[in-house]
Amino acid sequence: MNNSTDRRQGRIRIKEALATAEAKERIIVRGWTRTVRRGKEVAFIALNDGSCFASLQVVLGPDVEHYEAAVRCGTGACLEVEGALVASPAAGQRWEVHAHRVKLLGTSDAAYPLQKKRHSFEYLRSIAHLRPRANAFGAVFRVRSALSFAIHSFFRERGFLYVHTPIITGNDCEGAGEMFRVTTLDAAEPAKLDGSIDWQQDFFSHRTGLTVSGQLQGELFASAFSDIYTFGPTFRAENSNTSRHAAEFWMIEPEMAFADLAEDCALAEDFLRYLVTYALQECGEDLAFFDERIEKGLLAKLETLAKAEFQTMSYSEAVRRLEQAGRSFEFPVAWGADLQSEHERYLTEEVVGGPLFVTDYPADIKAFYMRQNDDGKTVAAMDLLVPRVGEIIGGSQREERLDVLESKMGACGIDPQNLWWYLDSRRWGSCPHSGFGLGFERLLMYVTGMENIRDVIPFPRTPGNANF
Ligand code: 4AD
Ligand code: MG
C-alpha cells in the first residue's frame, strides 16, 4: 500500500493514518467530506477516503488558507489536507489531523443528496452513482472486494485451476429458458427465411445469449485439469422481482473430477466456513457496523457458522418435515413440487437453526445434467440453505453415463446435436464428477445481513431497471 500511495505526492490513506503507532508532524490525506461542524474557534471536518469505515477528524483553524471555502462547501466536497497527525482528545478515535494547509479539489453544495440524515436503502438505490460514499455501502463494497479475493485464495490453496468460461454462449445450461438474447440482427427487420428469423444471418450464425452458468464448460475443463473453478458474471432473464434475484449476478462454480455428492457437500461446507472466517478476520470494522445497525447478532451468527457442522437432509425428509410443520404455507407442500423460499427458510431457520444441505431432489424439478439415483425418481442434487437468505448454493453430481445422459436429454426435449461437445466428454474418458454454484450476492447478503440483493451489488440489474 505504501508504494502506491507514496507515489501520489506523499498522500497516505486514512486507514494508514489511523493505524499509525505514533504522532507525525506532517501527513497528506485526500478524501470526501462527510460532515462539517463549526466550533467557536475551529471547524471539524470528518474526512473519508473509503479505505476504512472510520473517517478522520480534521481540525481546521480560520487562519488556514481556503478555510471559509472548505467549510462552506460542506458534505460531499473533495479535499486535500496537509497537517500534523496528533492524538485526539475526542472519544472513539485515536488520531486527528491539525490542518496546516487545505486544498479544495472538488466543491459541493447544499443540493448534494447525501447530507447527514439517514436515508432509506430504497432511496439510496435511486442514487446508486453516489451511494458508495454512504457508510453502509462503503462497508458492503469493502466486504465484497475482500471476499472476492478470499474466493481465489481458497481455491488456489487447494490446487484448483481458475478458468474463464464464456459470457456469450449458445447453450442454456439450466434449461429454464431464461437467457438474454445476444444478436446483431436488426430488431425491426430481422433477416428471415420461410417466415421465421434466419439465425444463420446473425453474428455467430446461430442463436446465442448471455450465459446463465459456466458449468458445462467448467465440466470440460474438470475433465482435463481435475479440479477447476469459475468466478464470473451470470445473467438470467428471470422476471421475478424478489429481494434475492438479480438479472445480473456473480457466481462461483467449482467442478471436481472423481468426486461424488458427499464430497461436493464437503467442499461447499469448507468453502463457506473459509469465507466467513476470512470476513471475520479481515473485515472486523465493517462487520461490527452491520452487527450494530443492520442485523443484530450477526457477529455471533457468523462465529457460530465458522465452527458449525452443517446438517444434511434428503428432499423426501424435508417434505415430511414441512408437512408435519403444523402451519400453512402460501405455496402447498407435496412430494414432487419445488421448495419455495418460505419452505427453505422454515427448514433452515426453524427445523435445524443453521445451514442445511437438502439432497436428492425429484428428477423432474432439476436440470438435465444431474446424476440419476438408483431409485429412478431422484437425482444426486444438493442445495445449501441458510437462515434469512434460503438457497445460497445449488450443486450436484453430474450424469457421467453417456446412455443415461442421452435418454435424459431426449426426455427434457434437448437436441443432442446442440450439445455434441458436452456428450463427447462422456464418450472419451468420462469420470464421476461433481460441482456447485455459489451465488456471490446471496453470500454477501448472508455475511452482511443486508436484506435486498440490490444493496450488495454496485449497480443492480432487475426487471425494469438497468440504470447507471
Ligand atoms: O441453483 P443454480 O441455478 O445452479 C446452477 O446454475 C448450476 N449450474 C451451478 C453448478 O452446479 N455449477 O444457481 C446457483 C446459485 C444459487 O444457489 C443462487 O445462490 C444463485 O446461484 N442464483 C442467483 N443469485 C442471484 N440472482 C439470481 N437470479 C440467481 N439465480 C441463482
Ligand atoms: Mg438452484
Side-chain angles (χ1 to χ4, degrees), residues 215-216 218-220 222-223 226 255-261 263-264 369-371 380 396-401 405 422 425-426 429-435:
Q215 178 194 320
L216 301 190
E219 285 185 54
L220 305 179
S223 305
S226 309
E255 192 70 33
M256 295 179 289
F258 325 118
D260 63 12
L261 190 68
E263 288 163 301
D264 202 29
Y369 52 72
M370 297 190 182
R371 192 177 197 280
S396 62
Q397 183 168 344
R398 321 304 189 187
E399 186 54 76
E400 85 283 12
R401 297 161 294 189
L405 185 60
Y422 186 68
S425 67
R426 275 54 174 180
S430 188
C431 69
H433 60 289
S434 301

PDB file of all heavy atoms in Angstrom, residues 215-216 218-220 222-223 226 255-261 263-264 369-371 380 396-401 405 422 425-426 429-435:
ATOM      1  N   GLN A 215     -21.132 -23.783 -15.955  1.00  0.00           N
ATOM      2  CA  GLN A 215     -20.914 -25.171 -15.542  1.00  0.00           C
ATOM      3  C   GLN A 215     -20.523 -26.129 -16.662  1.00  0.00           C
ATOM      4  O   GLN A 215     -19.575 -26.916 -16.519  1.00  0.00           O
ATOM      5  CB  GLN A 215     -22.178 -25.701 -14.862  1.00  0.00           C
ATOM      6  CG  GLN A 215     -22.047 -27.157 -14.445  1.00  0.00           C
ATOM      7  CD  GLN A 215     -23.390 -27.752 -14.100  1.00  0.00           C
ATOM      8  OE1 GLN A 215     -24.215 -27.089 -13.484  1.00  0.00           O
ATOM      9  NE2 GLN A 215     -23.617 -28.990 -14.492  1.00  0.00           N
ATOM     10  N   LEU A 216     -21.249 -26.090 -17.780  1.00  0.00           N
ATOM     11  CA  LEU A 216     -20.987 -27.108 -18.814  1.00  0.00           C
ATOM     12  C   LEU A 216     -19.559 -26.994 -19.342  1.00  0.00           C
ATOM     13  O   LEU A 216     -18.876 -28.002 -19.518  1.00  0.00           O
ATOM     14  CB  LEU A 216     -22.020 -27.007 -19.940  1.00  0.00           C
ATOM     15  CG  LEU A 216     -23.496 -27.171 -19.531  1.00  0.00           C
ATOM     16  CD1 LEU A 216     -24.385 -27.306 -20.768  1.00  0.00           C
ATOM     17  CD2 LEU A 216     -23.714 -28.345 -18.587  1.00  0.00           C
ATOM     18  N   GLY A 218     -17.188 -25.633 -17.618  1.00  0.00           N
ATOM     19  CA  GLY A 218     -16.386 -25.998 -16.444  1.00  0.00           C
ATOM     20  C   GLY A 218     -16.172 -27.498 -16.371  1.00  0.00           C
ATOM     21  O   GLY A 218     -15.082 -27.973 -16.063  1.00  0.00           O
ATOM     22  N   GLU A 219     -17.211 -28.263 -16.701  1.00  0.00           N
ATOM     23  CA  GLU A 219     -17.085 -29.725 -16.685  1.00  0.00           C
ATOM     24  C   GLU A 219     -16.025 -30.200 -17.680  1.00  0.00           C
ATOM     25  O   GLU A 219     -15.286 -31.147 -17.417  1.00  0.00           O
ATOM     26  CB  GLU A 219     -18.430 -30.384 -17.021  1.00  0.00           C
ATOM     27  CG  GLU A 219     -19.434 -30.328 -15.888  1.00  0.00           C
ATOM     28  CD  GLU A 219     -20.711 -31.096 -16.233  1.00  0.00           C
ATOM     29  OE1 GLU A 219     -20.638 -32.282 -16.593  1.00  0.00           O
ATOM     30  OE2 GLU A 219     -21.800 -30.473 -16.140  1.00  0.00           O
ATOM     31  N   LEU A 220     -15.965 -29.534 -18.842  1.00  0.00           N
ATOM     32  CA  LEU A 220     -14.961 -29.928 -19.839  1.00  0.00           C
ATOM     33  C   LEU A 220     -13.555 -29.704 -19.288  1.00  0.00           C
ATOM     34  O   LEU A 220     -12.662 -30.523 -19.487  1.00  0.00           O
ATOM     35  CB  LEU A 220     -15.138 -29.115 -21.127  1.00  0.00           C
ATOM     36  CG  LEU A 220     -16.532 -29.155 -21.779  1.00  0.00           C
ATOM     37  CD1 LEU A 220     -16.559 -28.276 -23.020  1.00  0.00           C
ATOM     38  CD2 LEU A 220     -16.931 -30.589 -22.115  1.00  0.00           C
ATOM     39  N   ALA A 222     -12.768 -29.649 -16.071  1.00  0.00           N
ATOM     40  CA  ALA A 222     -12.527 -30.611 -14.984  1.00  0.00           C
ATOM     41  C   ALA A 222     -12.120 -31.964 -15.559  1.00  0.00           C
ATOM     42  O   ALA A 222     -11.410 -32.728 -14.920  1.00  0.00           O
ATOM     43  CB  ALA A 222     -13.769 -30.759 -14.114  1.00  0.00           C
ATOM     44  N   SER A 223     -12.551 -32.229 -16.815  1.00  0.00           N
ATOM     45  CA  SER A 223     -12.175 -33.482 -17.464  1.00  0.00           C
ATOM     46  C   SER A 223     -10.748 -33.424 -18.007  1.00  0.00           C
ATOM     47  O   SER A 223     -10.307 -34.333 -18.697  1.00  0.00           O
ATOM     48  CB  SER A 223     -13.127 -33.774 -18.631  1.00  0.00           C
ATOM     49  OG  SER A 223     -14.454 -33.760 -18.184  1.00  0.00           O
ATOM     50  N   SER A 226      -8.797 -31.836 -13.598  1.00  0.00           N
ATOM     51  CA  SER A 226      -9.328 -32.448 -12.362  1.00  0.00           C
ATOM     52  C   SER A 226     -10.165 -31.496 -11.500  1.00  0.00           C
ATOM     53  O   SER A 226     -11.322 -31.751 -11.265  1.00  0.00           O
ATOM     54  CB  SER A 226      -8.221 -33.055 -11.492  1.00  0.00           C
ATOM     55  OG  SER A 226      -7.409 -33.904 -12.243  1.00  0.00           O
ATOM     56  N   GLU A 255     -15.766 -27.302  -9.980  1.00  0.00           N
ATOM     57  CA  GLU A 255     -16.112 -28.602 -10.560  1.00  0.00           C
ATOM     58  C   GLU A 255     -14.958 -29.559 -10.259  1.00  0.00           C
ATOM     59  O   GLU A 255     -13.800 -29.218 -10.511  1.00  0.00           O
ATOM     60  CB  GLU A 255     -16.305 -28.441 -12.079  1.00  0.00           C
ATOM     61  CG  GLU A 255     -16.945 -29.626 -12.770  1.00  0.00           C
ATOM     62  CD  GLU A 255     -18.443 -29.806 -12.412  1.00  0.00           C
ATOM     63  OE1 GLU A 255     -19.151 -28.804 -12.188  1.00  0.00           O
ATOM     64  OE2 GLU A 255     -18.862 -30.978 -12.345  1.00  0.00           O
ATOM     65  N   MET A 256     -15.285 -30.724  -9.704  1.00  0.00           N
ATOM     66  CA  MET A 256     -14.234 -31.676  -9.312  1.00  0.00           C
ATOM     67  C   MET A 256     -14.426 -33.018  -9.998  1.00  0.00           C
ATOM     68  O   MET A 256     -15.499 -33.632  -9.870  1.00  0.00           O
ATOM     69  CB  MET A 256     -14.285 -31.944  -7.803  1.00  0.00           C
ATOM     70  CG  MET A 256     -13.981 -30.743  -6.942  1.00  0.00           C
ATOM     71  SD  MET A 256     -14.109 -31.170  -5.177  1.00  0.00           S
ATOM     72  CE  MET A 256     -15.867 -31.385  -4.992  1.00  0.00           C
ATOM     73  N   ALA A 257     -13.386 -33.476 -10.690  1.00  0.00           N
ATOM     74  CA  ALA A 257     -13.404 -34.847 -11.210  1.00  0.00           C
ATOM     75  C   ALA A 257     -13.220 -35.788 -10.030  1.00  0.00           C
ATOM     76  O   ALA A 257     -12.635 -35.411  -9.014  1.00  0.00           O
ATOM     77  CB  ALA A 257     -12.276 -35.037 -12.218  1.00  0.00           C
ATOM     78  N   PHE A 258     -13.726 -36.999 -10.155  1.00  0.00           N
ATOM     79  CA  PHE A 258     -13.549 -38.049  -9.149  1.00  0.00           C
ATOM     80  C   PHE A 258     -14.200 -37.704  -7.807  1.00  0.00           C
ATOM     81  O   PHE A 258     -13.727 -38.135  -6.765  1.00  0.00           O
ATOM     82  CB  PHE A 258     -12.052 -38.368  -8.931  1.00  0.00           C
ATOM     83  CG  PHE A 258     -11.232 -38.271 -10.188  1.00  0.00           C
ATOM     84  CD1 PHE A 258     -10.188 -37.351 -10.305  1.00  0.00           C
ATOM     85  CD2 PHE A 258     -11.535 -39.065 -11.286  1.00  0.00           C
ATOM     86  CE1 PHE A 258      -9.458 -37.237 -11.477  1.00  0.00           C
ATOM     87  CE2 PHE A 258     -10.806 -38.958 -12.460  1.00  0.00           C
ATOM     88  CZ  PHE A 258      -9.762 -38.041 -12.556  1.00  0.00           C
ATOM     89  N   ALA A 259     -15.260 -36.891  -7.845  1.00  0.00           N
ATOM     90  CA  ALA A 259     -15.928 -36.539  -6.593  1.00  0.00           C
ATOM     91  C   ALA A 259     -17.403 -36.889  -6.684  1.00  0.00           C
ATOM     92  O   ALA A 259     -18.031 -36.684  -7.726  1.00  0.00           O
ATOM     93  CB  ALA A 259     -15.763 -35.045  -6.314  1.00  0.00           C
ATOM     94  N   ASP A 260     -17.945 -37.427  -5.582  1.00  0.00           N
ATOM     95  CA  ASP A 260     -19.380 -37.713  -5.542  1.00  0.00           C
ATOM     96  C   ASP A 260     -20.119 -36.604  -4.785  1.00  0.00           C
ATOM     97  O   ASP A 260     -19.502 -35.607  -4.382  1.00  0.00           O
ATOM     98  CB  ASP A 260     -19.641 -39.099  -4.929  1.00  0.00           C
ATOM     99  CG  ASP A 260     -19.172 -39.181  -3.479  1.00  0.00           C
ATOM    100  OD1 ASP A 260     -18.856 -38.124  -2.885  1.00  0.00           O
ATOM    101  OD2 ASP A 260     -19.109 -40.309  -2.945  1.00  0.00           O
ATOM    102  N   LEU A 261     -21.404 -36.783  -4.571  1.00  0.00           N
ATOM    103  CA  LEU A 261     -22.205 -35.726  -3.960  1.00  0.00           C
ATOM    104  C   LEU A 261     -21.733 -35.387  -2.534  1.00  0.00           C
ATOM    105  O   LEU A 261     -21.699 -34.212  -2.156  1.00  0.00           O
ATOM    106  CB  LEU A 261     -23.688 -36.114  -3.946  1.00  0.00           C
ATOM    107  CG  LEU A 261     -24.623 -34.970  -3.544  1.00  0.00           C
ATOM    108  CD1 LEU A 261     -24.647 -33.874  -4.590  1.00  0.00           C
ATOM    109  CD2 LEU A 261     -26.036 -35.482  -3.282  1.00  0.00           C
ATOM    110  N   GLU A 263     -18.735 -35.574  -1.349  1.00  0.00           N
ATOM    111  CA  GLU A 263     -17.501 -34.779  -1.433  1.00  0.00           C
ATOM    112  C   GLU A 263     -17.805 -33.354  -1.903  1.00  0.00           C
ATOM    113  O   GLU A 263     -17.151 -32.391  -1.508  1.00  0.00           O
ATOM    114  CB  GLU A 263     -16.495 -35.467  -2.359  1.00  0.00           C
ATOM    115  CG  GLU A 263     -15.917 -36.716  -1.722  1.00  0.00           C
ATOM    116  CD  GLU A 263     -15.246 -37.657  -2.726  1.00  0.00           C
ATOM    117  OE1 GLU A 263     -15.922 -38.118  -3.673  1.00  0.00           O
ATOM    118  OE2 GLU A 263     -14.051 -37.933  -2.550  1.00  0.00           O
ATOM    119  N   ASP A 264     -18.818 -33.249  -2.735  1.00  0.00           N
ATOM    120  CA  ASP A 264     -19.265 -31.937  -3.206  1.00  0.00           C
ATOM    121  C   ASP A 264     -19.770 -31.098  -2.015  1.00  0.00           C
ATOM    122  O   ASP A 264     -19.403 -29.930  -1.851  1.00  0.00           O
ATOM    123  CB  ASP A 264     -20.396 -32.141  -4.225  1.00  0.00           C
ATOM    124  CG  ASP A 264     -20.579 -30.962  -5.161  1.00  0.00           C
ATOM    125  OD1 ASP A 264     -19.590 -30.255  -5.444  1.00  0.00           O
ATOM    126  OD2 ASP A 264     -21.715 -30.743  -5.625  1.00  0.00           O
ATOM    127  N   TYR A 369     -28.604 -32.392 -16.376  1.00  0.00           N
ATOM    128  CA  TYR A 369     -27.248 -32.942 -16.223  1.00  0.00           C
ATOM    129  C   TYR A 369     -27.020 -33.657 -14.892  1.00  0.00           C
ATOM    130  O   TYR A 369     -25.964 -34.199 -14.633  1.00  0.00           O
ATOM    131  CB  TYR A 369     -26.212 -31.829 -16.388  1.00  0.00           C
ATOM    132  CG  TYR A 369     -26.486 -30.625 -15.486  1.00  0.00           C
ATOM    133  CD1 TYR A 369     -26.293 -30.691 -14.114  1.00  0.00           C
ATOM    134  CD2 TYR A 369     -26.949 -29.417 -16.014  1.00  0.00           C
ATOM    135  CE1 TYR A 369     -26.569 -29.616 -13.290  1.00  0.00           C
ATOM    136  CE2 TYR A 369     -27.217 -28.327 -15.202  1.00  0.00           C
ATOM    137  CZ  TYR A 369     -27.026 -28.444 -13.836  1.00  0.00           C
ATOM    138  OH  TYR A 369     -27.299 -27.366 -13.025  1.00  0.00           O
ATOM    139  N   MET A 370     -28.029 -33.643 -13.983  1.00  0.00           N
ATOM    140  CA  MET A 370     -27.802 -34.224 -12.656  1.00  0.00           C
ATOM    141  C   MET A 370     -27.885 -35.744 -12.691  1.00  0.00           C
ATOM    142  O   MET A 370     -28.690 -36.327 -13.421  1.00  0.00           O
ATOM    143  CB  MET A 370     -28.806 -33.648 -11.659  1.00  0.00           C
ATOM    144  CG  MET A 370     -28.625 -32.147 -11.491  1.00  0.00           C
ATOM    145  SD  MET A 370     -29.592 -31.521 -10.134  1.00  0.00           S
ATOM    146  CE  MET A 370     -29.200 -29.760 -10.239  1.00  0.00           C
ATOM    147  N   ARG A 371     -27.061 -36.388 -11.884  1.00  0.00           N
ATOM    148  CA  ARG A 371     -26.941 -37.849 -11.954  1.00  0.00           C
ATOM    149  C   ARG A 371     -28.157 -38.542 -11.358  1.00  0.00           C
ATOM    150  O   ARG A 371     -28.577 -38.253 -10.241  1.00  0.00           O
ATOM    151  CB  ARG A 371     -25.697 -38.321 -11.209  1.00  0.00           C
ATOM    152  CG  ARG A 371     -25.355 -39.770 -11.491  1.00  0.00           C
ATOM    153  CD  ARG A 371     -24.072 -40.161 -10.774  1.00  0.00           C
ATOM    154  NE  ARG A 371     -23.513 -41.386 -11.326  1.00  0.00           N
ATOM    155  CZ  ARG A 371     -23.933 -42.607 -11.021  1.00  0.00           C
ATOM    156  NH1 ARG A 371     -24.922 -42.766 -10.170  1.00  0.00           N
ATOM    157  NH2 ARG A 371     -23.361 -43.662 -11.568  1.00  0.00           N
ATOM    158  N   ALA A 380     -28.900 -36.880  -7.834  1.00  0.00           N
ATOM    159  CA  ALA A 380     -27.895 -36.563  -6.807  1.00  0.00           C
ATOM    160  C   ALA A 380     -27.638 -35.057  -6.783  1.00  0.00           C
ATOM    161  O   ALA A 380     -26.597 -34.575  -7.211  1.00  0.00           O
ATOM    162  CB  ALA A 380     -26.601 -37.335  -7.082  1.00  0.00           C
ATOM    163  N   SER A 396     -24.583 -30.468  -7.725  1.00  0.00           N
ATOM    164  CA  SER A 396     -24.970 -31.856  -7.967  1.00  0.00           C
ATOM    165  C   SER A 396     -23.770 -32.705  -8.377  1.00  0.00           C
ATOM    166  O   SER A 396     -22.727 -32.175  -8.767  1.00  0.00           O
ATOM    167  CB  SER A 396     -26.014 -31.950  -9.096  1.00  0.00           C
ATOM    168  OG  SER A 396     -25.488 -31.460 -10.305  1.00  0.00           O
ATOM    169  N   GLN A 397     -23.989 -34.032  -8.298  1.00  0.00           N
ATOM    170  CA  GLN A 397     -23.101 -34.939  -9.015  1.00  0.00           C
ATOM    171  C   GLN A 397     -23.652 -34.986 -10.428  1.00  0.00           C
ATOM    172  O   GLN A 397     -24.867 -34.945 -10.635  1.00  0.00           O
ATOM    173  CB  GLN A 397     -23.111 -36.324  -8.357  1.00  0.00           C
ATOM    174  CG  GLN A 397     -22.140 -37.285  -9.026  1.00  0.00           C
ATOM    175  CD  GLN A 397     -21.915 -38.560  -8.217  1.00  0.00           C
ATOM    176  OE1 GLN A 397     -22.242 -38.628  -7.030  1.00  0.00           O
ATOM    177  NE2 GLN A 397     -21.367 -39.569  -8.877  1.00  0.00           N
ATOM    178  N   ARG A 398     -22.772 -35.048 -11.424  1.00  0.00           N
ATOM    179  CA  ARG A 398     -23.229 -34.973 -12.814  1.00  0.00           C
ATOM    180  C   ARG A 398     -23.433 -36.376 -13.390  1.00  0.00           C
ATOM    181  O   ARG A 398     -22.739 -37.324 -12.996  1.00  0.00           O
ATOM    182  CB  ARG A 398     -22.215 -34.212 -13.673  1.00  0.00           C
ATOM    183  CG  ARG A 398     -21.553 -33.009 -13.019  1.00  0.00           C
ATOM    184  CD  ARG A 398     -22.545 -31.980 -12.510  1.00  0.00           C
ATOM    185  NE  ARG A 398     -21.846 -30.752 -12.096  1.00  0.00           N
ATOM    186  CZ  ARG A 398     -22.427 -29.740 -11.489  1.00  0.00           C
ATOM    187  NH1 ARG A 398     -23.704 -29.790 -11.145  1.00  0.00           N
ATOM    188  NH2 ARG A 398     -21.743 -28.649 -11.173  1.00  0.00           N
ATOM    189  N   GLU A 399     -24.329 -36.452 -14.350  1.00  0.00           N
ATOM    190  CA  GLU A 399     -24.564 -37.737 -15.026  1.00  0.00           C
ATOM    191  C   GLU A 399     -23.381 -38.024 -15.935  1.00  0.00           C
ATOM    192  O   GLU A 399     -23.157 -37.319 -16.917  1.00  0.00           O
ATOM    193  CB  GLU A 399     -25.866 -37.654 -15.831  1.00  0.00           C
ATOM    194  CG  GLU A 399     -26.272 -38.963 -16.456  1.00  0.00           C
ATOM    195  CD  GLU A 399     -26.359 -40.092 -15.421  1.00  0.00           C
ATOM    196  OE1 GLU A 399     -27.349 -40.134 -14.659  1.00  0.00           O
ATOM    197  OE2 GLU A 399     -25.421 -40.914 -15.389  1.00  0.00           O
ATOM    198  N   GLU A 400     -22.582 -39.041 -15.595  1.00  0.00           N
ATOM    199  CA  GLU A 400     -21.385 -39.319 -16.397  1.00  0.00           C
ATOM    200  C   GLU A 400     -21.597 -40.468 -17.380  1.00  0.00           C
ATOM    201  O   GLU A 400     -20.751 -40.753 -18.210  1.00  0.00           O
ATOM    202  CB  GLU A 400     -20.184 -39.599 -15.475  1.00  0.00           C
ATOM    203  CG  GLU A 400     -20.029 -41.030 -14.972  1.00  0.00           C
ATOM    204  CD  GLU A 400     -20.985 -41.408 -13.843  1.00  0.00           C
ATOM    205  OE1 GLU A 400     -21.943 -40.661 -13.574  1.00  0.00           O
ATOM    206  OE2 GLU A 400     -20.766 -42.491 -13.248  1.00  0.00           O
ATOM    207  N   ARG A 401     -22.789 -41.139 -17.309  1.00  0.00           N
ATOM    208  CA  ARG A 401     -23.049 -42.290 -18.185  1.00  0.00           C
ATOM    209  C   ARG A 401     -23.699 -41.796 -19.476  1.00  0.00           C
ATOM    210  O   ARG A 401     -24.805 -41.223 -19.436  1.00  0.00           O
ATOM    211  CB  ARG A 401     -23.960 -43.283 -17.451  1.00  0.00           C
ATOM    212  CG  ARG A 401     -23.318 -43.855 -16.182  1.00  0.00           C
ATOM    213  CD  ARG A 401     -24.332 -44.450 -15.240  1.00  0.00           C
ATOM    214  NE  ARG A 401     -25.250 -43.469 -14.673  1.00  0.00           N
ATOM    215  CZ  ARG A 401     -26.121 -43.728 -13.693  1.00  0.00           C
ATOM    216  NH1 ARG A 401     -26.180 -44.936 -13.154  1.00  0.00           N
ATOM    217  NH2 ARG A 401     -26.932 -42.787 -13.245  1.00  0.00           N
ATOM    218  N   LEU A 405     -27.442 -40.143 -19.944  1.00  0.00           N
ATOM    219  CA  LEU A 405     -27.500 -38.707 -20.252  1.00  0.00           C
ATOM    220  C   LEU A 405     -28.277 -38.457 -21.538  1.00  0.00           C
ATOM    221  O   LEU A 405     -29.123 -37.555 -21.604  1.00  0.00           O
ATOM    222  CB  LEU A 405     -26.073 -38.149 -20.366  1.00  0.00           C
ATOM    223  CG  LEU A 405     -25.946 -36.643 -20.561  1.00  0.00           C
ATOM    224  CD1 LEU A 405     -26.579 -35.882 -19.390  1.00  0.00           C
ATOM    225  CD2 LEU A 405     -24.478 -36.240 -20.699  1.00  0.00           C
ATOM    226  N   TYR A 422     -20.579 -31.554 -25.337  1.00  0.00           N
ATOM    227  CA  TYR A 422     -20.787 -31.959 -23.943  1.00  0.00           C
ATOM    228  C   TYR A 422     -20.877 -33.484 -23.877  1.00  0.00           C
ATOM    229  O   TYR A 422     -20.266 -34.122 -23.019  1.00  0.00           O
ATOM    230  CB  TYR A 422     -22.064 -31.310 -23.421  1.00  0.00           C
ATOM    231  CG  TYR A 422     -22.348 -31.517 -21.958  1.00  0.00           C
ATOM    232  CD1 TYR A 422     -21.541 -30.944 -20.977  1.00  0.00           C
ATOM    233  CD2 TYR A 422     -23.438 -32.277 -21.542  1.00  0.00           C
ATOM    234  CE1 TYR A 422     -21.823 -31.116 -19.628  1.00  0.00           C
ATOM    235  CE2 TYR A 422     -23.729 -32.448 -20.188  1.00  0.00           C
ATOM    236  CZ  TYR A 422     -22.914 -31.873 -19.237  1.00  0.00           C
ATOM    237  OH  TYR A 422     -23.199 -32.043 -17.905  1.00  0.00           O
ATOM    238  N   SER A 425     -17.631 -35.467 -23.889  1.00  0.00           N
ATOM    239  CA  SER A 425     -16.887 -35.631 -22.635  1.00  0.00           C
ATOM    240  C   SER A 425     -17.299 -36.932 -21.935  1.00  0.00           C
ATOM    241  O   SER A 425     -16.571 -37.441 -21.089  1.00  0.00           O
ATOM    242  CB  SER A 425     -17.107 -34.431 -21.709  1.00  0.00           C
ATOM    243  OG  SER A 425     -18.456 -34.392 -21.275  1.00  0.00           O
ATOM    244  N   ARG A 426     -18.475 -37.471 -22.294  1.00  0.00           N
ATOM    245  CA  ARG A 426     -18.919 -38.752 -21.738  1.00  0.00           C
ATOM    246  C   ARG A 426     -18.507 -39.906 -22.652  1.00  0.00           C
ATOM    247  O   ARG A 426     -18.655 -41.079 -22.281  1.00  0.00           O
ATOM    248  CB  ARG A 426     -20.449 -38.777 -21.614  1.00  0.00           C
ATOM    249  CG  ARG A 426     -21.028 -38.166 -20.351  1.00  0.00           C
ATOM    250  CD  ARG A 426     -20.605 -36.781 -20.051  1.00  0.00           C
ATOM    251  NE  ARG A 426     -21.335 -36.244 -18.898  1.00  0.00           N
ATOM    252  CZ  ARG A 426     -21.164 -35.037 -18.407  1.00  0.00           C
ATOM    253  NH1 ARG A 426     -20.269 -34.212 -18.940  1.00  0.00           N
ATOM    254  NH2 ARG A 426     -21.855 -34.635 -17.365  1.00  0.00           N
ATOM    255  N   GLY A 429     -13.130 -40.857 -21.926  1.00  0.00           N
ATOM    256  CA  GLY A 429     -12.555 -40.549 -20.601  1.00  0.00           C
ATOM    257  C   GLY A 429     -13.550 -39.979 -19.615  1.00  0.00           C
ATOM    258  O   GLY A 429     -13.193 -39.138 -18.783  1.00  0.00           O
ATOM    259  N   SER A 430     -14.774 -40.426 -19.689  1.00  0.00           N
ATOM    260  CA  SER A 430     -15.776 -39.939 -18.733  1.00  0.00           C
ATOM    261  C   SER A 430     -15.410 -40.368 -17.317  1.00  0.00           C
ATOM    262  O   SER A 430     -14.789 -41.414 -17.113  1.00  0.00           O
ATOM    263  CB  SER A 430     -17.146 -40.512 -19.110  1.00  0.00           C
ATOM    264  OG  SER A 430     -18.155 -39.928 -18.325  1.00  0.00           O
ATOM    265  N   CYS A 431     -15.773 -39.570 -16.357  1.00  0.00           N
ATOM    266  CA  CYS A 431     -15.496 -39.947 -14.966  1.00  0.00           C
ATOM    267  C   CYS A 431     -16.570 -39.355 -14.062  1.00  0.00           C
ATOM    268  O   CYS A 431     -17.214 -38.376 -14.425  1.00  0.00           O
ATOM    269  CB  CYS A 431     -14.122 -39.448 -14.529  1.00  0.00           C
ATOM    270  SG  CYS A 431     -14.026 -37.661 -14.382  1.00  0.00           S
ATOM    271  N   PRO A 432     -16.762 -39.957 -12.876  1.00  0.00           N
ATOM    272  CA  PRO A 432     -17.708 -39.355 -11.923  1.00  0.00           C
ATOM    273  C   PRO A 432     -17.198 -37.962 -11.568  1.00  0.00           C
ATOM    274  O   PRO A 432     -15.989 -37.786 -11.359  1.00  0.00           O
ATOM    275  CB  PRO A 432     -17.618 -40.268 -10.695  1.00  0.00           C
ATOM    276  CG  PRO A 432     -16.887 -41.478 -11.134  1.00  0.00           C
ATOM    277  CD  PRO A 432     -16.065 -41.117 -12.322  1.00  0.00           C
ATOM    278  N   HIS A 433     -18.083 -36.991 -11.533  1.00  0.00           N
ATOM    279  CA  HIS A 433     -17.640 -35.647 -11.147  1.00  0.00           C
ATOM    280  C   HIS A 433     -18.808 -34.836 -10.605  1.00  0.00           C
ATOM    281  O   HIS A 433     -19.969 -35.157 -10.870  1.00  0.00           O
ATOM    282  CB  HIS A 433     -16.949 -34.925 -12.312  1.00  0.00           C
ATOM    283  CG  HIS A 433     -17.799 -34.716 -13.541  1.00  0.00           C
ATOM    284  ND1 HIS A 433     -18.175 -35.733 -14.388  1.00  0.00           N
ATOM    285  CD2 HIS A 433     -18.343 -33.583 -14.060  1.00  0.00           C
ATOM    286  CE1 HIS A 433     -18.904 -35.245 -15.380  1.00  0.00           C
ATOM    287  NE2 HIS A 433     -19.034 -33.927 -15.202  1.00  0.00           N
ATOM    288  N   SER A 434     -18.462 -33.821  -9.840  1.00  0.00           N
ATOM    289  CA  SER A 434     -19.471 -33.040  -9.130  1.00  0.00           C
ATOM    290  C   SER A 434     -19.044 -31.585  -9.026  1.00  0.00           C
ATOM    291  O   SER A 434     -17.857 -31.270  -9.136  1.00  0.00           O
ATOM    292  CB  SER A 434     -19.632 -33.556  -7.691  1.00  0.00           C
ATOM    293  OG  SER A 434     -20.004 -34.905  -7.694  1.00  0.00           O
ATOM    294  N   GLY A 435     -20.019 -30.733  -8.791  1.00  0.00           N
ATOM    295  CA  GLY A 435     -19.706 -29.312  -8.617  1.00  0.00           C
ATOM    296  C   GLY A 435     -20.900 -28.569  -8.076  1.00  0.00           C
ATOM    297  O   GLY A 435     -21.957 -29.145  -7.827  1.00  0.00           O
TER     298      GLY A 435
END
